Amino acid sequence: MKRVKLDPLVPVTRLKLIQGLMTLLLVYLLFMSLQIPLIFKTGNGFVPVDQALPMPRPRPLLVKNDESEPKLLDKPRVSHRSPGRRMRETKRLSALFFNESIFDAVGSVDEFSLLHKASKEALMAGKKLWEELESDKIQANPIIVNRNSTDNRTEHCPTSITLTGSEFSARNWMLELPCGLTLGSHITVVGSPRWAHPEKDPKIASLLEGENELMVSQFLMELQGLKTVDGEDPPRILHFNPRLKGDWSGKPVIEINTCYRMHWGRTPLRCEGWSSDTDEETVDGQVKCERWLRDDDPYPEDSKATRWLNRLIGRKKEIDYQWPFPFVEGKLFVLTVSAGLEGYHISVGGRHITSFPYRTGFVLEEATGLYLNGDVDVHSIFAASLPSSHPSFAPQHHLEMFKKWQAPPLPNAQVELFIGVLSAGNHFAERMALRKSWMQHKLIRTSEVVTRFFVALNGRRETNMELKKEADYFGDIVIVPYMDNYDLVVLKTLAICEYGIQTVAAKNIMKCDDDTFVRVEVMIEEIKKVPRNRSLYIGNINYLHRVLRSGKWAVTFEEWPEEVYPPYANGPGYIISSDIAQFIVAEFQSQKLNLFKMEDVSMGMWVEKFNTSKPVQYVHSLNYCQSGCIEDYFTAHYQSPRQMLCLWDKIQQGNPECCNMR
Ligand SMILES: *[C@@H]1O[C@H](CO)[C@@H](O)[C@H](O)[C@H]1NC(C)=O
Ligand SMILES: *[C@@H]1O[C@H](CO)[C@@H](O)[C@H](O)[C@H]1NC(C)=O
Ligand SMILES: *[C@@H]1O[C@H](CO)[C@@H](O)[C@H](O)[C@H]1NC(C)=O
Ligand SMILES: *[C@@H]1O[C@H](CO)[C@@H](O)[C@H](O)[C@H]1NC(C)=O
Ligand SMILES: *[C@@H]1O[C@H](CO)[C@@H](O)[C@H](O)[C@H]1NC(C)=O
């Protein structure tokens, strides 16, 4: 994972440059505040972050809390926009971070200030990008073309690919599959695991006392979505990781998972030598994990011969021969991964080892690269039954500039619910899918519920130009003017709170991601169940979530001193009442707000603080689904654009079921 590391990387000259820029910026700010007050209204955020828990743990919050007792309601520094006094914003920029001295608080050098520094730099970079964008309107020819779905641009791809080991390593251990996979595609890897080597800091296990190194042999094979996004790590659609010498469990194990938007699936599939339970879900009829011989098995391996003999001479009883762990150091293996109807199937040496259901709403053609790395020598790779064509990937082709997808104008009346959707500059397809699905809900079209995307600026200029045009056309994007950075997602949540109370005057504010499907009328029903004058915090709430101190996802005490996190709702969909949002924005503006890298934990902290002065009704439901879609869902997460449209179709037919397709 990315960490915030700033100082050691910033050469002195850059510091000087930054100082210079800051001075300029101050002058500029002063000028702006004198000349054109209020020109920057509305801002916006960026990347969907649901902090799936098995993530490397958070870095410290940005701001050190000065522990002055919360004075919440006595000084409403942040006032609701009174209906009717609404300003027509000429620019769709978030106003919240316009005052950069907001991050100058606690001018100390402790690590709490790291997030501040990162924020400040990102804001400065963002402002520069924005000014550049503003200054070259002339050159902005329509890059976004309105294309019909009958776009005839297709790529032509080979239906099979063969690589030798040396060709493969020359390509940095990446086999590109330009058109992705299709049903029945299969890839075979011939290789051999390398001998274990000592590791002083094994990431997959912790050292016992007295040990200073551990023998490790492991490798990974991944199907990655190379063309899906830029500016962030490609999604790992299938991550297959055999650990020959075991990991913290002490036994050889194969771990399988997915990683989408840089978040690992919360529960990896771990095959540890036990066969999956017979009542567990199968994949195309295959178990998820096959059994293999463990060294703690009751039948020692040498009884094999006896059993074989018994079988030969006609006694049929004992025939469940157990194969050993499929990978052995130094021994050749032939591994095949194939794409079935319900998931990927992996076999080694012709024997089925594991099956992994398609999980996160990817379509098969998105798996455009096979990557191998770790303690393995690859001798050759064969991919076959590949699709020969692929629809164009150009993201802007996803935009469909039709009036019916534009956002309705802001109403003058108070709004029951404002939904802020975290998105990233290049998520054109995701935004379009939301516009065409749940954002077509009657409550949204009639402005009883208002939605906006919160997007930060991208490192690529073309992306920003397209984003700006998209924002101008659809009117549903708020740009948070900082350089998009995965660690700073929490700033977008702040921008959502600010926009929700200042610009929309909403009674309640919901935050979700651009891969969240929201059942809008259910949100309103759930809000109405809470007495009108109560403060509320609704979502899939984690109570007493323990901070992991050891193992793969350990968090140090420095990073999070307490044993548990405060109760917090999972990030992909939660609702707070506007008094809480007001409190958050006021605290932020007076520099008293703790910021934690995990956006959802941050919100839990803030609500907890608010609750000390006015009781908050916490409403928990598992139907705000964190990982995928469940029956009777209120919100579904990790939904691909295709699934969004499918879910919406089903709702239109009065049938709110999941779309767990490939
Ligand atoms: C910017 O923030 C600082 C610190 O909170 C505050 O003192 C100053 O008045 C603010 N400036 C403007 C123009 O709001
Ligand atoms: C796009 O589709 C519309 C009808 O849906 C059609 O009238 C138009 O000619 C098409 N444009 C192109 C470039 O094919
Ligand atoms: C797409 O179709 C149009 C007309 O049907 C044709 O002029 C154009 O060359 C085609 N483009 C490609 C890339 O095949
Ligand atoms: C909510 O309203 C009820 C009845 O109007 C009142 O008794 C109660 O004190 C109010 N609660 C809060 C927290 O204001
Ligand atoms: C909120 O405050 C109430 C009363 O002050 C307290 O009983 C409750 O435990 C608090 N809830 C949380 C989640 O902190």
Side-chain angles (χ1 to χ4, degrees):
M1 292 309 307
K2 290 202 253 171
R3 302 212 128 193
V4 193
K5 42 184 171 188
L6 288 172
D7 282 347
L9 298 183
V10 182
V12 177
T13 48
R14 245 187 88 194
L15 278 176
K16 286 212 178 113
L17 189 69
I18 288 172
Q19 277 168 0
L21 278 172
M22 278 173 59
T23 318
L24 266 178
L25 206 91
L26 271 175
V27 173
Y28 172 74
L29 272 174
L30 197 67
F31 176 77
M32 290 296 283
S33 62
L34 291 176
Q35 290 284 310
I36 335 175
L38 292 177
I39 196 157
F40 283 79
K41 241 358 236 179
T42 62
N44 186 344
F46 120 54
V47 172
V49 166
D50 68 279
Q51 329 323 76
L53 276 169
M55 295 291 305
R57 255 5 201 165
R59 296 290 302 174
L61 307 201
L62 285 198
V63 187
K64 206 171 187 172
N65 192 352
D66 61 6
E67 277 321 320
S68 54
E69 77 286 23
K71 325 173 217 153
L72 309 185
L73 305 165
D74 46 354
K75 279 194 209 154
R77 226 174 298 249
V78 184
S79 58
H80 251 99
R81 165 181 76 75
S82 57
R85 194 190 55 122
R86 178 164 51 89
M87 288 151 277
R88 257 332 304 171
E89 55 272 33
T90 50
K91 306 198 177 179
R92 311 190 165 273
L93 265 200
S94 179
L96 188 58
F97 305 104
F98 190 53
N99 185 350
E100 275 156 55
S101 50
I102 207 89
F103 288 112
D104 285 342
V106 200
S108 60
V109 287
D110 66 8
E111 54 179 315
F112 287 102
S113 61
L114 278 180
L115 199 52
H116 273 181
K117 282 191 200 153
S119 305
K120 214 177 154 114
E121 290 210 340
L123 282 166
M124 288 170 49
K127 290 237 160 81
K128 242 180 103 200
L129 285 174
W130 181 255
E131 281 157 28
E132 270 174 31
L133 269 182
E134 286 287 86
S135 65
D136 59 19
K137 289 204 174 80
I138 328 112
Q139 194 224 311
N141 274 326
I143 298 178
I144 300 173
V145 199
N146 184 10
R147 287 189 187 242
N148 287 352
S149 49
T150 54
D151 190 339
N152 58 358
R153 246 196 75 200
T154 51
E155 288 181 59
H156 291 281
C157 302
T159 55
S160 66
I161 302 174
T162 307
L163 287 186
T164 65
S166 52
E167 285 166 341
F168 185 58
S169 74
R171 298 180 186 193
N172 295 317
W173 294 277
M174 175 69 81
L175 167 67
E176 279 195 41
L177 308 159
C179 289
L181 301 180
T182 188
L183 182 65
S185 295
H186 49 95
I187 305 172
T188 296
V189 176
V190 181
S192 44
R194 294 193 195 131
W195 290 92
H197 61 277
E199 255 184 45
K200 288 208 186 324
D201 177 25
K203 299 278 188 305
I204 56 172
S206 42
L207 296 172
L208 298 177
E209 251 177 46
E211 279 181 339
N212 57 9
E213 57 187 30
L214 202 72
M215 298 302 283
V216 172
S217 173
Q218 64 157 340
F219 65 92
L220 60 82
M221 177 186 77
E222 288 180 337
L223 286 171
Q224 298 186 348
L226 299 182
K227 296 190 185 176
T228 313
V229 287
D230 53 20
E232 65 190 60
D233 290 351
R236 302 148 200 235
I237 296 166
L238 172 74
H239 165 90
F240 174 85
N241 172 211
R243 298 163 178 184
L244 279 67
K245 294 301 220 186
D247 54 9
W248 45 267
S249 70
K251 303 275 177 221
V253 60
I254 300 177
E255 209 177 84
I256 306 157
N257 207 344
T258 55
C259 181
Y260 181 49
R261 302 274 171 81
M262 298 163 72
H263 286 273
W264 289 100
R266 206 172 273 249
T267 45
L269 173 65
R270 284 175 63 84
C271 292
E272 304 189 276
W274 312 116
S275 179
S276 301
D277 284 343
T278 42
D279 54 357
E280 210 188 304
E281 174 201 11
T282 58
V283 185
D284 296 321
Q286 306 254 40
V287 292
K288 288 185 187 167
C289 289
E290 295 286 353
R291 184 169 181 184
W292 59 71
L293 192 74
R294 291 166 56 102
D295 53 13
D296 54 359
D297 264 324
Y299 301 109
E301 201 168 350
D302 56 26
S303 73
K304 265 193 297 192
T306 346
R307 278 184 273 153
W308 176 236
L309 199 65
N310 282 344
R311 179 152 166 64
L312 261 188
I313 60 179
R315 285 197 257 153
K316 294 211 170 159
K317 271 196 307 186
E318 293 237 356
I319 52 167
D320 67 331
Y321 174 67
Q322 286 168 42
W323 301 90
F325 186 72
F327 300 100
V328 182
E329 293 156 275
K331 289 204 181 160
L332 200 71
F333 64 80
V334 179
L335 177 154
T336 298
V337 51
S338 59
L341 267 177
E342 295 173 1
Y344 296 106
H345 304 287
I346 294 174
S347 57
V348 179
R351 272 182 308 120
H352 177 250
I353 298 297
T354 174
S355 289
F356 189 67
Y358 298 125
R359 244 197 207 176
T360 54
F362 285 107
V363 288
L364 273 172
E365 59 260 34
E366 280 172 296
T368 46
L370 179 91
Y371 177 68
L372 272 124
N373 199 359
D375 305 320
V376 64
D377 292 311
V378 174
H379 307 307
S380 48
I381 296 196
F382 315 91
S385 302
L386 301 173
S388 61
S389 66
H390 195 295
S392 167
F393 270 104
Q396 61 272 29
H397 295 172
H398 292 292
L399 290 181
E400 295 169 44
M401 314 296 251
F402 293 114
K403 279 231 169 340
K404 62 179 164 178
W405 312 132
Q406 287 176 336
L410 280 181
N412 277 322
Q414 231 196 3
V415 164
E416 187 62 37
L417 176 65
F418 171 65
I419 306 179
V421 184
L422 298 195
S423 187
N426 51 16
H427 290 176
F428 298 100
E430 283 83 349
R431 285 191 292 275
M432 204 62 228
L434 260 54
R435 289 183 190 116
K436 292 162 74 174
S437 60
W438 61 266
M439 289 190 178
Q440 287 299 307
H441 196 285
K442 195 171 70 231
L443 289 170
I444 294 177
R445 298 314 297 174
T446 57
S447 296
E448 280 158 80
V449 175
V450 172
T451 62
R452 292 287 183 271
F453 294 102
F454 286 74
V455 188
L457 293 167
N458 192 282
R460 291 184 52 203
R461 177 194 165 84
E462 309 84 73
T463 305
N464 291 332
M465 286 168 63
E466 282 160 26
L467 176 69
K468 193 155 160 289
K469 268 185 235 148
E470 185 191 350
D472 288 344
Y473 186 82
F474 292 103
D476 58 6
I477 294 180
V478 181
I479 293 173
V480 187
Y482 71 91
M483 176 75 110
D484 216 344
N485 177 336
Y486 179 69
D487 294 333
L488 302 179
V489 153
V490 66
L491 300 184
K492 291 187 188 170
T493 302
L494 289 173
I496 289 177
C497 291
E498 193 264 353
Y499 192 90
I501 53 179
Q502 304 279 40
T503 307
V504 183
K507 289 184 210 157
N508 298 284
I509 292 169
M510 174 169 187
K511 177 248 149 180
C512 69
D513 298 339
D514 63 6
D515 54 354
T516 306
F517 187 93
V518 180
R519 292 181 61 193
V520 181
E521 78 288 350
V522 177
M523 299 301 109
I524 298 292
E525 282 161 24
E526 290 300 299
I527 289 169
K528 290 203 166 139
K529 287 183 189 163
V530 179
R532 227 38 256 185
N533 57 359
R534 287 295 302 266
S535 305
L536 57 81
Y537 183 30
I538 304 180
N540 186 345
I541 297 185
N542 300 283
Y543 290 99
L544 297 176
H545 214 288
R546 296 192 75 81
V547 181
L548 295 176
R549 297 299 183 192
S550 66
K552 197 169 175 181
W553 312 111
V555 178
T556 66
F557 284 92
E558 243 172 8
E559 287 167 331
W560 188 272
E562 284 157 48
E563 271 312 295
V564 293
Y565 292 119
Y568 70 94
N570 283 334
Y574 62 77
I575 306 174
I576 55 173
S577 48
S578 60
D579 52 353
I580 299 179
Q582 264 175 44
F583 164 70
I584 291 168
V585 174
E587 289 275 294
F588 176 70
Q589 288 178 339
S590 53
Q591 305 178 349
K592 285 191 287 189
L593 196 69
N594 273 341
L595 302 183
F596 190 59
K597 227 176 77 168
M598 297 173 63
E599 178 270 333
D600 46 8
V601 175
S602 290
M603 182 54 78
M605 264 179 357
W606 304 334
V607 177
E608 189 180 49
K609 194 171 174 195
F610 179 91
N611 180 56
T612 58
S613 68
K614 183 180 177 214
V616 174
Q617 184 144 344
Y618 284 67
V619 182
H620 165 65
S621 170
L622 292 173
N623 297 359
Y624 299 90
C625 192
Q626 151 77 29
S627 47
C629 181
I630 56 169
E631 217 178 304
D632 295 326
Y633 72 95
F634 295 169
T635 62
H637 188 224
Y638 291 138
Q639 300 300 297
S640 66
R642 201 171 290 201
Q643 280 170 310
M644 291 285 173
L645 298 173
C646 166
L647 288 168
W648 180 241
D649 274 351
K650 291 197 175 191
I651 284 194
Q652 301 288 82
Q653 295 157 15
N655 176 22
E657 277 175 7
C658 296
C659 295
N660 289 322
M661 52 188 184
R662 294 198 316 274

